[in-house]
Amino acid sequence: MTRTHRLSVAAAALCCTMATPVLAQDATVSAEELAQLRDQLAAMSARIDQLEDALESAQAANEAQDATIAAHAEAVAAKPDPVVATLEKRDGWSFKPRGRLMYDAGWTDAPESTGASDGFGNEVRRARLGTSGDIPGGFGYKFEVDFAGNEVEVADAILSYEDGPIEIAIGHHNNFQSLEELTSSLHTTFIERAAFTDAFGFERRIGASIQYANGPLLAQAGVFTDNFDDTDSKNRGVDARLVFMPKAGDAQLHFGGSFHYNDIDDPAATVRYRQRPLVHFTSERFVNTGRLGADSEMGFGLEGAAIVGRFHAAAEGYWQKVDMPGMAIDPTFFGGYIEAGVFLTDDSRGYKGGKFDRTKPNAPVGEGGMGSVQFNLRFDHLDLNDAGILGGKQAGYFASLIWKPTDYTAFMVNYGRLDYTDAVLATSTGDTSYGVDAVGLRAQIDF
């Protein structure tokens, strides 16, 4: 409302006030009274103008204060936190803390007359702390220590160099065997990896490797000795892996093969292949070749996988041949698995760099969702019988349910039925063909 408008309204109101007594009493207003009323109207208008000026000044002051607060907020947001700033790249340097904690519990149930230790078990499966980052000149590093099992063991201890599609690594790291083995324990679909990876002794070793990655092609090769705990051994090995990982529409495909050769070079050295029933917290092995004198090991592996939306499938086969002095025929042992899984939520399994990667829920807990839920089935086979050696056969039928509330937390439930043939632990009646049940639970967090 303008000032002129307000004056008109006030004048009209005054006229109404004056008109009522005139009509009611048939009286006239004197010139002196009219002058007084006009003076009152002018005073009222002046007061209204004064109040409006004060209101406009207050509004201008508030707008200026809001602008100052907004500018300060932008400045604070633009300025990194002092702690975070130390972790960001500075002249080519960076530092990223890493860690994971996995707690497992569950049960195993074996025929009582075998004498096997079963029942409830639990353990801290992994408790790692470490760091990774960049060094000026294209170099990088990664170092992790595992404190699980009342022992301190070095996991990764790597110095790397990257130049375009080529990456060179020196130190304690995985050699190139198996999609399942190279996939981080944070991203596997079962509480433990496929039986053959542990039975055939896949582990980190000290060595030097080179990797070439270009589009859908990945080639990896390296020379290795042994792990940090066995540096006094004379092992010398060569590993290579080739992966073709094309995209077919919305599907991610994976085809791979690997080769492993390990020269033991010690007449007194032995190898042993054995495996637990699904879970790690039991020390029982129902398949076990025992100690075998060996000059060398040679392995061949095939890999295949596909991810299509919520669904994924994977399969591997691996043949481990042992060169045993004095044997007419060298034994070749076999392990492999086939699995399929589906998300019950609108999520998909992660994949990156020739291996499965982190699943990131589309609707995590804390952001209005429940996280991701995944169901998986697997048939896992391990055959340690060949050339007169009876290490036994293990056929596993597994199911898992995985709930990931957020990107970095997970809870798993596994069930496994393991059927044995030629088990190394016989029942009281001498039976070596029987079944063992296993249930495993896991809670994990990482950063």
Side-chain angles (χ1 to χ4, degrees):
M1 183 181 295
T2 63
R3 296 181 183 180
T4 303
H5 190 196
R6 286 197 302 273
L7 289 174
S8 301
V9 171
L14 182 61
C15 292
C16 291
T17 304
M18 295 171 56
T20 302
V22 170
L23 294 174
Q25 302 176 14
D26 194 21
T28 60
V29 179
S30 66
E32 182 178 354
E33 290 175 338
L34 183 59
Q36 290 178 352
L37 290 173
R38 288 175 177 171
D39 291 340
Q40 291 175 2
L41 179 61
M44 290 174 59
S45 178
R47 180 56 177 166
I48 291 174
D49 291 341
Q50 183 181 8
L51 292 173
E52 182 171 289
D53 291 338
L55 180 60
E56 290 176 353
S57 298
Q59 289 176 340
N62 287 337
E63 291 175 356
Q65 185 178 14
D66 290 343
T68 301
I69 292 174
H72 178 70
E74 291 178 358
V76 170
K79 183 179 179 181
D81 182 89
V83 175
V84 176
T86 62
L87 307 181
E88 295 177 348
K89 288 187 176 181
R90 289 293 182 269
D91 299 326
W93 287 89
S94 68
F95 175 89
K96 179 183 178 181
R98 308 171 60 91
R100 70 185 67 177
L101 178 63
M102 298 178 177
Y103 178 74
D104 291 356
W107 299 264
T108 55
D109 183 25
E112 184 176 354
S113 62
T114 62
S117 175
D118 58 5
F120 177 77
N122 69 110
E123 67 174 341
V124 177
R125 181 66 176 92
R126 294 178 180 88
R128 292 184 189 172
L129 289 175
T131 180
S132 63
D134 298 320
I135 302 174
F139 292 91
Y141 66 92
K142 182 180 179 183
F143 183 77
E144 287 187 334
V145 176
D146 199 326
F147 300 91
N150 296 321
E151 297 179 357
V152 177
E153 295 183 351
V154 175
D156 288 316
I158 311 169
L159 176 65
S160 62
Y161 174 76
E162 188 171 348
D163 184 8
I166 296 176
E167 181 179 1
I168 299 172
I170 299 174
H172 195 248
H173 60 297
N174 277 313
N175 44 358
F176 305 114
Q177 297 170 283
S178 168
L179 168 64
E180 179 87 342
E181 177 67 16
L182 294 176
T183 294
S184 169
S185 60
L186 294 169
H187 314 318
T188 55
T189 47
F190 288 85
I191 198 168
E192 294 296 329
R193 294 185 174 95
F196 74 88
T197 65
D198 187 49
F200 296 155
F202 294 178
E203 62 182 352
R204 292 173 174 83
R205 297 175 184 263
I206 300 171
S209 65
I210 184 169
Q211 174 176 292
Y212 174 82
N214 188 4
L217 182 64
L218 173 67
Q220 302 166 304
V223 292
F224 298 88
T225 58
D226 217 320
N227 61 59
F228 273 153
D229 293 334
D230 297 311
T231 54
D232 57 344
S233 77
K234 298 181 180 180
N235 288 6
R236 296 187 302 274
V238 177
D239 288 87
R241 180 172 179 252
L242 184 64
V243 176
F244 182 55
M245 41 187 178
K247 295 278 288 187
D250 295 332
Q252 173 66 63
L253 304 179
H254 173 104
F255 306 96
S258 64
F259 168 78
H260 166 73
Y261 178 78
N262 183 37
D263 185 0
I264 299 174
D265 193 23
D266 185 349
T270 61
V271 297
R272 178 174 59 181
Y273 306 126
R274 57 181 185 166
Q275 179 59 354
R276 297 175 172 90
L278 177 63
V279 293
H280 185 270
F281 50 74
T282 178
S283 60
E284 294 292 353
R285 278 90 165 179
F286 296 89
V287 289
N288 189 343
T289 63
R291 294 288 181 179
L292 306 175
D295 289 336
S296 65
E297 301 171 303
M298 189 180 330
F300 302 90
L302 294 175
E303 313 166 8
I307 303 172
V308 184
R310 299 184 182 186
F311 299 90
H312 89 275
E316 291 192 65
Y318 199 91
W319 293 261
Q320 182 88 327
K321 183 178 181 179
V322 187
D323 182 5
M324 298 180 60
M327 292 283 289
I329 300 176
D330 292 325
T332 299
F333 305 117
F334 173 78
Y337 70 91
I338 182 169
E339 77 166 54
V342 59
F343 280 89
L344 308 182
T345 53
D346 187 19
D347 295 288
S348 182
R349 192 170 188 189
Y351 180 89
K352 182 180 180 182
K355 54 190 176 182
F356 290 115
D357 200 45
R358 185 182 303 277
T359 294
K360 298 181 178 180
N362 287 322
V365 171
E367 299 181 19
M370 62 170 291
S372 66
V373 179
Q374 184 184 18
F375 178 70
N376 306 283
L377 293 173
R378 170 181 285 186
F379 172 70
D380 190 321
H381 181 68
L382 181 63
D383 184 353
L384 300 182
N385 287 348
D386 195 47
I389 296 172
L390 291 179
K393 297 180 181 180
Q394 174 179 290
Y397 304 87
F398 302 154
S400 75
L401 188 66
I402 306 172
W403 174 43
K404 290 198 69 177
T406 67
D407 293 359
Y408 300 94
T409 54
F411 299 90
M412 302 176 66
V413 179
N414 284 194
Y415 168 73
R417 171 67 180 185
L418 299 111
D419 290 336
Y420 291 98
T421 304
D422 298 322
V424 296
L425 298 178
T427 66
S428 58
T429 60
D431 188 9
T432 57
S433 297
Y434 50 79
V436 173
D437 294 296
V439 175
L441 311 173
R442 171 171 292 174
Q444 76 179 41
I445 186 171
D446 75 289
F447 60 87

